[in-house]
Amino acid sequence: MAQGYFVTFEGGEGAGKSTQLRLLAEALRRHGIPVVTTREPGGSAGAEQIRSLLVEGETGRWDSMTEALLHFAARRDHVARTVWPALAEGQWVLCDRFADSTLAYQGYGHGLPHHAIEQLYDMTIGAFAPDLTLILDLPVEEGLRRATGRGGDETRYERMGLAFHQRLRQGFLDIAQHHPERCVVLPASASVDVVQVKVLEAVEERLLARAR
């Protein structure tokens, strides 16, 4: 059985994660690689129910610890019911956000101590981690402008202040600096096609070449 890989897409609001995830999934499937696409919060029935509590409503409805607990409750269900079974079958799992988002949003953004997030991770997920994390980076103002054009009800995080979004952008860059073995930062201000080329190059170099 071919080995499955867990690839996560991270970045601030409006960075284009969902688009690039979809394009990567299509490219992998053209090469005969089985792929599961998923997202956080969400990705399983229980986690999707928790998602609405986090991405809808007033910006101040939860404090940072409550948010983190909700994210990890959803994450545990998602990983146990969707991610691990797919990987065990040799499928690639492409996920729109994972635990780096909790560290960036609740840690860097809301000031929750990083060690608390690390402890929650250890308790719920253990030693498991993505094989590759693609961090799509772009100026905060540009990302929020893109995100505003999407519409819909899931705007709770988008409506948080500019300073919050600046902190979480720096958080993602710090995470990449601390974990260069799995993280690749890709400038996301370019066109969709240009970013897609960079995504494919990173996947080829970090995963496909290794698998041969």
Side-chain angles (χ1 to χ4, degrees):
M1 179 185 298
Q3 179 178 353
Y5 290 107
F6 184 39
V7 180
T8 56
F9 286 76
E10 298 283 7
E13 302 297 324
K17 301 179 307 302
S18 300
T19 297
Q20 293 302 327
L21 185 152
R22 174 179 56 80
L23 292 173
L24 176 58
E26 291 172 357
L28 292 173
R29 286 169 180 147
R30 286 196 297 270
H31 287 83
I33 296 173
V35 177
V36 170
T37 61
T38 187
R39 68 177 182 177
E40 287 205 351
S44 64
E48 288 291 335
Q49 290 180 310
I50 296 173
R51 178 184 177 89
S52 62
L53 299 175
L54 287 161
V55 300
E56 299 177 11
E58 295 302 315
T59 57
R61 70 184 301 189
W62 312 114
D63 67 10
S64 58
M65 177 56 82
T66 305
E67 279 192 2
L69 289 168
L70 287 168
H71 276 290
F72 275 104
R75 180 164 298 127
R76 173 65 195 187
D77 193 69
H78 174 223
V79 168
R81 296 180 184 273
T82 302
V83 177
W84 285 337
L87 292 173
E89 294 174 354
Q91 300 185 82
W92 286 45
V93 179
L94 310 185
C95 188
D96 185 344
R97 297 200 182 283
F98 194 60
D100 290 324
S101 279
T102 305
L103 182 55
Y105 278 71
Q106 283 69 55
Y108 286 87
H110 287 318
L112 186 66
H114 294 185
H115 68 82
I117 296 172
E118 293 166 358
Q119 289 174 337
L120 288 171
Y121 191 102
D122 288 342
M123 286 188 295
T124 56
I125 307 300
F128 176 73
D131 296 290
L132 174 64
T133 297
L134 302 168
I135 298 176
L136 303 184
D137 177 63
L138 79 169
V140 168
E141 294 85 353
E142 181 180 350
L144 291 176
R145 185 168 59 251
R146 292 182 184 180
T148 301
R150 294 184 304 209
D153 297 326
E154 297 186 348
T155 62
R156 179 169 173 264
Y157 286 111
E158 294 170 20
R159 289 182 276 113
M160 295 181 181
L162 187 64
F164 167 83
H165 290 279
Q166 296 283 12
R167 291 193 299 273
L168 70 88
R169 182 191 184 190
Q170 186 58 51
F172 282 121
L173 296 176
D174 286 353
I175 291 167
Q177 185 176 10
H178 291 141
H179 300 280
E181 74 286 351
R182 70 169 174 85
C183 293
V184 177
V185 177
L186 302 176
S189 294
S191 70
V192 170
D193 291 343
V194 170
V195 177
Q196 182 192 15
V197 169
K198 297 298 183 183
V199 167
L200 293 174
E201 288 176 348
V203 171
E204 171 67 29
E205 178 183 347
R206 296 292 187 104
L207 298 179
L208 292 175
R210 184 202 312 174
R212 293 192 181 101

